[in-house]
Amino acid sequence: MATDIEVLQSGGAAAVNGCCKKGPGYASPLAAMDGPKESLIYVTCIYTGMGRGKPDYLATVDVDPKSPSYSNVIHRLPMPYEGDELHHSGWNSCSSCYGDPSAARRYLVLPSLVSGRIYAIDTLKDPKAPSLYKVVQPDDVIKKTGLAFPHTAHCLASGEIMLSCLGDKDGNAEGNGFLLLDSDFNVKGRWEKPGHSPLFGYDFWYQPRHNTMISSTWGAPSAFTKGFNLQDVADGHYGRHLHVYTWPGGELKQTLDLGNTGLLPLEVRFLHNPSEAIGYVGCALTSNMVRFFKNPDGSWGHEVAISVKPVKVQNWILPEMPGLITDFLISLDDRFLYLANWLHGDIRQYNIEDPANPKLTGQVFVGGVFQKGNAVLAEAEDGSTYQVDVPEVQGHRLRGGPQMIQLSLDGKRLYVTNSLFSTWDRQFYPEMVEKGGHMLQIDVDSEKGGLAINPRFFVDFGAEPDGPSLAHEMRYPGGDCTSDIWI
């Protein structure tokens, strides 16, 4: 298999292997939109932090509306250990390896944010019932790299897997960096050059045609694992920067200070078109979507593209409540951006055909702190109070707020779960920890814009055999718009 550098310098894996040989994924983002309609989705489910004495597990959910088990969990794969906090997930191989016929999208990579374990799950033997292939133990990662608290996994065109790690074994933010695994999940070392590890880490996305990788900054594990405390922000334990690296060189070449408008920048995504030098990052605490872009001189700039205004509230911990943008994604044709406001409870759709001027085209409330039936009241500008009327789905009152989202390849169905991180879930939505999370599906108008809850779809993780669990990241067996990168 060609090295990552050889592949990228030659203009992509397809250029190396020839146009007629196919690897995993799709030749382009637009080709992916014509891919098969999803019938299964994998969901990371959490018992860590819930006091149930059970390991986290990977659920397989039937999302085929023609199936008799539609909208149900059809398989559960428990991890062999407790206390993991399965969080985000990725693939061993994706569309970045499309030109390599020896590669296959076989293993789902499950990093454990708290324990530091990394699981490789075989989804090819039986897609409906995945099985455990390998466990990367945290001691091996720490011994060889000093890294801990793994978060985001992306496949590389070389066949390697790269993971962002948010700190060292003691939870110190300055211990963060990027872990490289080989194609059989052996620890190879760090990706970034020595001395090129900034203070905080979180998510990352690379854009090879611009020789650039950009990473974001959440906070020190020693702070966020204990729950959210505003004092930790004031004390400098949370980030507000984007880090620009050379790709695939691993040299930190620029740091973008997002300032007080960009506190807690979490998910980072480039536009899918690999020729574009534009992307966005969702800044949770200040609830802004920041657009970043390449300047004519090769440096990178940034500006606030979307602002979610805080809401004045009563009976809450603060007099104003941020939306808390925790996840967002971009449709494969780069026409729409979707974001989730975990505290306010709404999902929004923006047209970004003009990336500098997003236009709100759809909004739907699926929970939130000030929904009807809760104690918290929102205040209007005239001083009157109100609460949001959130509909029940199949007789279920919606708990928590929208957190992780995943879009179908064709851009017409948006799947939503509601767990952020078990400690934060307990702090802000204790009812969800008690009664479990759930998963919804939102129908999307991908022509004119618009969002509506699908009343036929509701997965109740409060009714699991081993007790209520929390649902987080979602992945399709065939790849999706938040894991596939084109070169």
Side-chain angles (χ1 to χ4, degrees), residues 281-330:
V281 61
C283 302
L285 188 56
T286 42
S287 298
N288 291 323
M289 294 299 308
V290 171
R291 183 178 75 97
F292 52 85
F293 48 87
K294 193 175 185 178
N295 293 313
D297 66 358
S299 66
W300 290 78
H302 64 91
E303 64 180 8
V304 174
I306 298 169
S307 291
V308 176
K309 293 182 180 180
V311 173
K312 290 184 178 181
V313 289
Q314 299 176 8
N315 308 323
W316 200 58
I317 56 175
L318 296 170
E320 286 193 336
M321 181 190 296
L324 209 76
I325 300 172
T326 51
D327 195 19
F328 86 97
L329 54 79
I330 299 170

Side-chain angles (χ1 to χ4, degrees), residues 216-291:
S216 61
T217 50
W218 181 11
S222 59
F224 69 70
T225 54
K226 298 175 183 177
F228 181 70
N229 187 332
L230 265 178
Q231 187 60 44
D232 285 332
V233 179
D235 291 344
H237 296 308
Y238 284 93
R240 65 179 202 185
H241 297 87
L242 294 181
H243 300 298
V244 183
Y245 289 85
T246 60
W247 184 267
E251 297 174 350
L252 180 62
K253 63 179 182 179
Q254 189 179 354
T255 294
L256 304 178
D257 186 346
L258 306 183
N260 290 331
T261 62
L263 299 178
L264 277 67
L266 299 182
E267 309 306 321
V268 58
R269 326 255 189 228
F270 275 97
L271 295 181
H272 295 288
N273 182 344
S275 295
E276 293 284 358
I278 297 171
Y280 299 87
V281 61
C283 302
L285 188 56
T286 42
S287 298
N288 291 323
M289 294 299 308
V290 171
R291 183 178 75 97

Side-chain angles (χ1 to χ4, degrees), residues 152-175:
T152 297
H154 275 303
C155 62
L156 309 186
S158 61
E160 296 165 316
I161 300 113
M162 182 165 141
L163 297 98
S164 59
C165 295
L166 307 194
D168 63 14
K169 62 182 177 60
D170 298 317
N172 299 310
E174 58 266 26

Side-chain angles (χ1 to χ4, degrees), residues 139-211:
D139 290 347
D140 190 30
V141 175
I142 292 168
K143 180 181 178 181
K144 294 178 180 177
T145 68
L147 297 170
F149 298 92
H151 185 270
T152 297
H154 275 303
C155 62
L156 309 186
S158 61
E160 296 165 316
I161 300 113
M162 182 165 141
L163 297 98
S164 59
C165 295
L166 307 194
D168 63 14
K169 62 182 177 60
D170 298 317
N172 299 310
E174 58 266 26
N176 83 98
F178 299 92
L179 170 67
L180 274 181
L181 304 177
D182 68 17
S183 58
D184 198 40
F185 304 97
N186 299 302
V187 177
K188 293 191 70 174
R190 285 180 178 242
W191 169 76
E192 78 277 15
K193 299 292 186 187
H196 289 252
S197 302
L199 186 59
F200 295 104
Y202 185 70
D203 194 28
F204 70 98
W205 195 283
Y206 59 90
Q207 200 76 321
R209 294 187 191 180
H210 295 277
N211 304 113

